[in-house]
Amino acid sequence: MKLTTAFVALAALAGIGAEAQAVCSSNAARKEIRSLSPAEWSSTANTLKRMQDYGWFQWFAYVHTANFNVIHNCEIFLPWHRRFLKDFENVGRQFTPTFALPYWDEVRDYANPAASTVLTTAYAGSNGVGSNRCVQNGLQNGWTMTYPSNHCLRRQYNNGNTINPMYSPEYIQSLLSRSKNMAQLRPAIEFSIHGAVHLALGGDMVQNYSPNDFAFWLHHANIDRLWFVWQMQDPNQNFWSATGVDTAGKAVGLNTALPYYSDPITNMMYPGRNGMCFSYDNFGTVTQKKRSLTEENTQKCRQRPVVTLPQLPDLVEGVFDDVNNVLADSESVIKETITNLLPEPMLNKWFPTLANNNTVTYTAEDIPEAPVVAEVPEDINTHSNLSAPSLPSESFDIAGEVVDSSYYSSPQVEVIDGDEYSASTVEVSTVYTSSVPTAAPTEAPSGSESEELGSESESDYSSSEATVAVPIPSHDASESYNANDSADYSVNYQIFDVSANPDVSGLDGVGPTYLMPNPFPFTRGFIQMHGYSINELKQHYALAQQFVGDMNAAGYQSPYAKGAKNLTSA
């Protein structure tokens, strides 16, 4: 069998493990976008412009839309998007062989996202302007996005010209630390930083065709990187974990074929193997503090290697003065900060893999053999022509349903009221004790849940509306886009309620200079579009609120809490 030049020949399948799988002869080296040299970013931007000219942004927006209903809200989410990212990256490498998708480590910017240099003319561009919310600077300035029909790239920040606080790097580290399998990790990520960034940017990013925005690719490359960080957190437990269900409630495993691509999930699991020919710039810096060594896990403790990080700016009152100048990955910085500042009970509760003093460093040598080995398709690169395939002209199959092209709707963006999320009755264990869900996660919310949302009737949240993706409209998309349809911010949302948390003076009697904010909650339309369970979202959001309260009460100061200095986006 012949494979592409990207990897060596596949070994005989009988009895082989991870070491005998198809090893990539070269990998696309993915870096945080702000760490690219001017020459690297110029090459990346030129490649992306050529991909736009040849119709590829349109094509990938279409593919994402056509499969939207079966790749979210289930354990297909992470492996499918890893394959999707690699497909996009492979197309770019046809134009520029050294092309690699950068990622955006968004949690560095969680306190003041709109001030990130990523969202300026230097990179991805800033907020949309005018009645159509067109982005008028950065990479995609002047581009005509042709899917679902001709329009400018749109963005509409969720707080006017600023963006509400997102999830902190500490909370994302806590999610990784507490998740023990894919069925726990996927909703933890999807219901937090994944949705938060989509909603923060708005415009095309809150539509099914969000791959129109290059920020989508930056964002999902980071989501994929976080998955890989989690895989390496404890390879014996995490690396090959694919437990869960699909949107039909059927069990998902390593043999499960991905929608559209048909590749088995097992081929998506190992970056650097089986066609997943990419690496991340922080690989090799991933370490874990283990809770204990048991009879079942007698791996010898090793000294943590000395990790050489980029030069870090000085901390001023415990924070970086401008996070745009911090080039080290957030995980490395936060792990050291957490273990130095938090007491052991807090580590045990929120960061169990960082508690106690036993350290184990995992490398590629510690990755166990693959439980399931599958043949790597010869067409892993998928596309052989520079031009993108043609789209269906009138209607197309959406996850098994043919929808007439006249259907088009823009999801409502009214926010879930803050008082509908309560942390008082939610325990950490309630979200992180189950293993594999037993019911399909896409059931429509019950009537009681619909009533909690407000005046909408149960029919407004019916399964049919929640599971139909947006096909090609018969009119210009801008005609259906309401520029005034921005988030209706709840008066009950508070960045942090000091009155309800009187212990913010901290363990030493002095509170943090910059309190950790609550992340802004999901909107009704976003929940409806994805078919999310309201009750499940409430549990996850309540945990995030509880985490914020505990960290502030402990007097913890996040080094990223000041955010970036406000910059002009022109």
Side-chain angles (χ1 to χ4, degrees):
M1 179 180 66
K2 293 181 179 180
L3 300 178
T4 67
T5 56
F7 30 75
V8 300
L10 185 65
L13 297 180
I16 67 175
E19 288 70 24
Q21 291 178 302
V23 180
C24 298
S25 61
S26 64
N27 290 307
R30 297 179 182 174
K31 301 178 182 180
E32 214 278 341
I33 188 169
R34 286 167 284 197
S35 69
L36 296 177
S37 69
E40 287 174 327
W41 171 241
S42 177
S43 175
T44 299
N46 288 336
T47 301
L48 295 168
K49 290 173 182 176
R50 293 190 69 191
M51 291 175 67
Q52 164 69 2
D53 292 342
Y54 280 83
W56 287 107
F57 274 79
Q58 170 185 260
W59 172 256
F60 284 105
Y62 155 71
V63 171
H64 190 262
T65 298
N67 295 279
F68 189 87
N69 303 321
V70 293
I71 59 175
H72 299 90
N73 200 24
C74 67
E75 278 61 65
I76 296 291
F77 174 70
L78 289 171
W80 193 92
H81 282 87
R82 177 171 284 180
R83 181 67 172 85
F84 192 52
L85 288 167
K86 191 56 196 163
D87 197 2
F88 183 89
E89 190 171 61
N90 283 340
V91 170
R93 288 170 78 85
Q94 292 185 164
F95 293 97
T96 307
T98 57
F99 175 76
L101 262 177
Y103 64 90
W104 175 22
D105 189 5
E106 307 112 332
V107 294
R108 300 184 199 178
D109 303 298
Y110 83 100
N112 188 13
S116 172
T117 53
V118 177
L119 299 177
T120 67
T121 190
Y123 295 111
S126 55
N127 199 14
V129 299
S131 60
N132 287 328
R133 309 304 302 178
C134 296
V135 175
Q136 295 185 354
N137 60 6
L139 171 70
Q140 294 177 276
N141 177 30
W143 287 20
T144 298
M145 311 314 297
T146 56
Y147 186 82
S149 60
N150 290 350
H151 66 283
C152 63
L153 176 69
R154 299 183 298 255
R155 288 209 193 116
Q156 187 165 5
Y157 289 174
N158 67 5
N159 192 9
N161 283 322
T162 63
I163 295 174
N164 284 300
M166 298 193 298
Y167 288 81
S168 69
E170 288 82 2
Y171 189 66
I172 300 306
Q173 181 60 52
S174 176
L175 296 181
L176 301 180
S177 184
R178 288 182 281 124
S179 298
K180 296 180 179 179
N181 54 47
M182 175 66 82
Q184 293 177 356
L185 177 71
R186 189 277 308 168
I189 293 295
E190 189 175 1
F191 297 162
S192 62
I193 188 64
H194 168 257
V197 173
H198 277 275
L199 285 162
L201 300 185
D204 280 30
M205 278 288 277
V206 292
Q207 304 289 351
N208 308 62
Y209 45 87
S210 50
N212 274 340
D213 194 332
F214 182 59
F216 169 95
W217 301 98
L218 295 172
H219 175 42
H220 273 273
N222 191 51
I223 295 296
D224 185 76
R225 185 185 68 89
L226 291 173
W227 176 25
F228 186 49
V229 168
W230 176 80
Q231 287 180 284
M232 294 302 298
Q233 179 177 275
D234 184 349
N236 281 321
Q237 173 183 271
N238 300 346
F239 198 87
W240 297 103
S241 177
T243 56
V245 295
D246 62 16
T247 54
K250 297 179 181 178
V252 167
L254 293 171
N255 279 321
T256 301
L258 294 176
Y260 175 69
Y261 290 109
S262 299
D263 299 346
I265 287 177
T266 189
N267 284 348
M268 307 303 110
M269 303 298 289
Y270 200 145
R273 308 250 172 138
N274 298 338
M276 297 297 100
C277 299
F278 63 89
S279 62
Y280 289 106
D281 54 2
N282 67 318
F283 178 73
T285 69
V286 180
T287 60
Q288 179 200 28
K289 286 197 169 186
K290 295 188 68 62
R291 295 185 292 271
S292 63
L293 294 178
T294 65
E295 292 182 359
E296 291 76 19
N297 184 8
T298 58
Q299 184 173 8
K300 183 180 178 181
C301 284
R302 293 177 290 232
Q303 287 295 109
R304 180 185 298 186
V306 176
V307 177
T308 303
L309 296 175
Q311 183 66 40
L312 296 176
D314 292 334
L315 295 174
V316 180
E317 295 183 318
V319 298
F320 295 120
D321 186 53
D322 185 352
V323 298
N324 282 318
N325 298 327
V326 183
L327 299 183
D329 65 273
S330 58
E331 297 85 33
S332 298
V333 175
I334 291 303
K335 283 181 179 180
E336 294 302 318
T337 308
I338 287 169
T339 53
N340 288 334
L341 297 183
L342 289 179
E344 199 69 17
M346 282 282 287
L347 292 175
N348 284 322
K349 179 179 181 180
W350 293 109
F351 307 96
T353 59
L354 299 178
N356 301 323
N357 294 318
N358 294 324
T359 63
V360 174
T361 299
Y362 293 111
T363 68
E365 296 178 356
D366 300 302
I367 298 173
E369 293 187 353
V372 175
V373 178
E375 186 172 348
V376 179
E378 293 188 30
D379 62 345
I380 190 72
N381 285 318
T382 305
H383 309 290
S384 58
N385 298 319
L386 289 181
S387 297
S390 299
L391 300 188
S393 58
E394 294 183 358
S395 64
F396 59 85
D397 189 21
I398 302 178
E401 289 188 61
V402 176
V403 182
D404 186 82
S405 62
S406 62
Y407 175 86
Y408 177 80
S409 66
S410 178
Q412 299 298 308
V413 289
E414 186 178 1
V415 76
I416 299 297
D417 288 341
D419 61 356
E420 294 178 3
Y421 293 101
S422 173
S424 59
T425 59
V426 177
E427 299 293 335
V428 177
S429 59
T430 62
V431 179
Y432 286 90
T433 53
S434 61
S435 55
V436 181
T438 57
T442 54
E443 294 177 355
S446 66
S448 60
E449 290 172 343
S450 180
E451 291 171 2
E452 289 178 350
L453 288 171
S455 60
E456 290 86 348
S457 65
E458 183 177 354
S459 63
D460 291 331
Y461 289 87
S462 65
S463 58
S464 62
E465 289 189 354
T467 59
V468 174
V470 180
I472 303 172
S474 57
H475 54 276
D476 191 286
S478 62
E479 295 176 12
S480 294
Y481 183 78
N482 181 1
N484 297 317
D485 200 21
S486 58
D488 179 16
Y489 305 113
S490 168
V491 295
N492 296 307
Y493 169 72
Q494 291 180 301
I495 289 181
F496 184 70
D497 186 1
V498 178
S499 64
N501 296 270
D503 297 326
V504 293
S505 59
L507 300 177
D508 58 1
V510 179
T513 304
Y514 300 92
L515 291 173
M516 183 176 290
N518 287 315
F520 198 70
F522 285 12
T523 64
R524 286 186 175 91
F526 196 77
I527 293 169
Q528 175 189 357
M529 184 171 72
H530 289 79
Y532 292 149
S533 162
I534 301 298
N535 285 338
E536 190 176 6
L537 278 174
K538 286 182 178 181
Q539 285 188 329
H540 282 269
Y541 188 76
L543 272 181
Q545 288 182 307
Q546 184 182 340
F547 176 86
V548 168
D550 282 0
M551 296 293 275
N552 286 334
Y556 175 83
Q557 179 65 79
S558 172
Y560 295 93
K562 187 177 179 180
K565 289 185 176 179
N566 287 316
L567 303 172
T568 59
S569 57

